[in-house]
Amino acid sequence: MVSYDNNAYFWQKVDTIFLSSNVNIIRHKGEVHPQFKNLVYPTEYGHLDETGNGNPISVYMGTKNHSEITGLIVAADILQKTIDVKLLLGCTEEEVNDVLHFLNQTDFQKTVLIRRGNDMPSWGFSDN
């Protein structure tokens, strides 16, 4: 079993990145992927603009509160040789599962989900 601390300070930093950026939706729920015709977007899909390194952060936006980060998905893609983080915004449990299914359809990319937590680990009481 893999274990990690789901630190509230970490989520505070993720919220700051999100709230200081704009969401640019480029695909709507039900649209077909432009390159892979068997992939249909399960939610609204876009990017956070204005990220510090110039690389946009992918966003999957559900039907709940669009200013609430539900979790993160970390994707390993062997074709592009990348590890990418994607934000889930306002996703229901069903939408989270639909996005995971969407992203894991190919043998070339696999993902893990990090659900948002509010626990404060003992070592996390300092924000220095």
Side-chain angles (χ1 to χ4, degrees):
M1 177 178 205
V2 176
S3 177
Y4 63 91
D5 289 320
N6 204 337
N7 185 333
Y9 282 129
F10 169 78
W11 291 104
Q12 178 188 47
K13 304 308 181 226
V14 174
D15 286 338
T16 299
I17 293 169
F18 167 64
L19 293 171
S20 64
S21 302
N22 291 317
V23 177
N24 180 21
I25 298 298
I26 59 172
R27 302 274 180 261
H28 296 286
K29 179 179 179 176
E31 279 190 42
V32 175
H33 190 283
Q35 187 177 3
F36 304 103
K37 302 301 181 192
N38 61 317
L39 300 178
V40 177
Y41 286 89
T43 66
E44 304 293 302
Y45 169 76
H47 297 99
L48 284 187
D49 294 332
E50 305 159 14
T51 56
N53 63 5
N55 295 326
I57 298 171
S58 294
V59 171
Y60 289 87
M61 187 180 296
T63 55
K64 291 173 46 179
N65 183 349
H66 293 164
S67 62
E68 178 183 305
I69 297 173
T70 309
L72 300 174
I73 292 177
V74 179
D77 187 322
I78 61 172
L79 287 180
Q80 295 184 17
K81 295 184 181 179
T82 60
I83 295 178
D84 189 28
V85 176
K86 303 163 187 312
L87 293 180
L88 296 173
L89 301 177
C91 289
T92 64
E93 188 63 28
E94 182 179 355
E95 290 167 333
V96 169
N97 289 330
D98 289 346
V99 171
L100 288 170
H101 176 76
F102 173 76
L103 293 172
N104 285 290
Q105 289 183 60
T106 171
D107 289 334
F108 303 113
Q109 175 176 273
K110 294 299 174 192
T111 67
V112 293
L113 170 66
I114 301 174
R115 294 184 187 277
R116 185 177 189 125
N118 294 314
D119 295 338
M120 188 62 66
S122 61
W123 54 263
F125 287 106
S126 173
D127 195 24
N128 296 328

